[in-house]
Amino acid sequence: MPPRDASPYNRRMAADGSIIVTTTKARQFPALALPRAVSTGLVLIAAAALRFPGLGRQSLWADEGNSWGMALRSLSAIGPAAAADIHPPLYYYLLNLWCRLFGTSEAGMRSLSAVLGCLLVLVTLWWATAVAGRYVGLTAGVLAAASPFAVYYSQEARAYILVALLAAAGTACLTVWMQTRDRGRGGLALPVAYVLLMAALVWTHYLGIVVLALHNLAVVVRWLRHRREWRRETRVWVVMQAAVLVLYLPWLPVMLRSAGGWPAISAREGLGFYLGESLRLFTVGPTGGPLTGWGY
């Protein structure tokens, strides 16, 4: 008889006393039999293989040209220039430093987004594993690695993949922090990481404020369900939000001054148009053709 831990089966007793035998997840899903580091590495290799080839195949398009112009400025000049732009300056600071190492060619500039896209896959895998286990985590990692939408923005010299990475990482920290607090555990690492990530998010894109609002809504719902247990956590949460605001204060006047001056980005469309566009972007990607049957 093999050792009990080595058995590929799970055994449990039914109500009538009979034994029910089922295969383990490792037997059902061979990837789970691999060491965690190996399976994670394979997902990251797949993500990199989809993101890095062809970075310099096409010339920079209009918005990427704006990123190129920002990257050529000095660090001290980026802030004032970004104040007249539609986005905050954090991505441009990172791109400036990146281009000092890898150049301002198409491939050099876009490689930053490719690296950020691979990190997004890793964060997605970790987040899903923490919430729902290793099988769900690997599945989520594979889907994130192969997502046409994520691959497209991982090959563009713009801030959007950084926005996705920071939003996902901050939300993952919040999720795990709430789980650990529910179990009566927790330390400072997750709250500090959350504050830094969310501050970086609003320094990257103004719509990061929407992510913060959704996080606050989630915490309010959690507080309403566990009001007595969450008294201390509520105070910690208020401090975390205040810390994000303090870190954003230097740029807050620019955001308030610019908020009313942004032009509309598109004409108004019906609900079917936006549902169809969402489905198209998350299935075939931004370069895919239009989908029929969605009212546009």
Side-chain angles (χ1 to χ4, degrees):
M1 289 288 293
R4 183 171 182 177
D5 290 343
S7 173
Y9 304 97
N10 288 326
R11 295 175 174 83
R12 61 185 177 88
M13 183 174 291
D16 61 357
S18 61
I19 302 297
I20 300 175
V21 179
T22 58
T23 60
T24 63
K25 282 187 176 181
R27 181 77 174 221
Q28 295 171 335
F29 309 106
L32 296 183
L34 296 173
R36 188 182 300 269
V38 174
S39 57
T40 300
L42 290 175
V43 172
L44 287 177
I45 290 172
L50 290 171
R51 284 157 175 78
F52 281 95
L55 287 179
R57 190 172 298 156
Q58 296 182 351
S59 60
L60 301 176
W61 71 288
D63 284 1
E64 288 182 307
N66 183 54
S67 298
W68 177 80
M70 286 287 192
L72 294 181
R73 300 174 187 269
S74 65
L75 289 174
S76 60
I78 288 177
D85 189 50
I86 198 171
H87 298 305
L90 181 60
Y91 170 75
Y92 299 131
Y93 287 131
L94 293 177
L95 185 62
N96 176 286
L97 297 175
W98 186 267
C99 289
R100 297 185 188 193
L101 296 175
F102 300 99
T104 55
S105 66
E106 288 88 346
M109 292 180 60
R110 290 169 179 159
S111 60
L112 172 60
S113 294
V115 170
L116 296 175
C118 291
L119 291 177
L120 175 59
V121 172
L122 184 61
V123 166
T124 303
L125 195 156
W126 171 73
W127 180 11
T129 300
V131 171
R134 189 179 175 197
Y135 171 62
V136 174
L138 279 174
T139 303
V142 170
L143 292 175
S147 166
F149 189 62
V151 171
Y152 178 88
Y153 284 106
S154 296
Q155 295 183 319
E156 183 180 67
R158 295 296 286 165
Y160 305 118
I161 199 66
L162 176 59
V163 171
L165 172 62
L166 293 172
T171 308
C173 286
L174 172 60
T175 305
V176 177
W177 177 70
M178 289 195 295
Q179 287 181 333
T180 56
R181 296 311 304 170
D182 287 344
R183 298 168 188 158
R185 302 196 304 269
L188 290 177
L190 287 172
V192 170
Y194 174 85
V195 167
L196 295 177
L197 288 166
M198 298 314 296
L201 176 61
V202 291
W203 273 91
T204 302
H205 201 288
Y206 292 118
L207 289 181
I209 296 172
V210 176
V211 178
L212 276 170
L214 292 173
H215 288 176
N216 278 275
L217 178 61
V219 170
V220 168
V221 171
R222 178 60 63 95
W223 180 81
L224 290 174
R225 294 180 60 186
H226 307 280
R227 190 173 304 180
R228 290 184 179 179
E229 298 87 345
W230 264 65
R231 289 178 180 175
R232 180 177 179 273
E233 283 68 26
T234 301
R235 293 194 292 269
V236 174
W237 178 252
V238 171
V239 172
M240 290 164 62
Q241 297 303 292
V244 173
L245 177 60
V246 168
L247 291 175
Y248 191 58
L249 279 178
W251 196 257
L252 184 60
V254 177
M255 188 273 287
L256 295 176
R257 185 172 65 250
S258 303
W262 298 328
I265 60 174
S266 65
R268 292 185 179 181
E269 301 286 352
L271 178 60
F273 173 84
Y274 293 108
L275 291 176
E277 280 295 281
S278 298
L279 180 62
R280 181 178 70 86
L281 290 173
F282 285 101
T283 52
V284 299
T287 59
L291 301 176
T292 59
W294 287 84
Y296 73 103

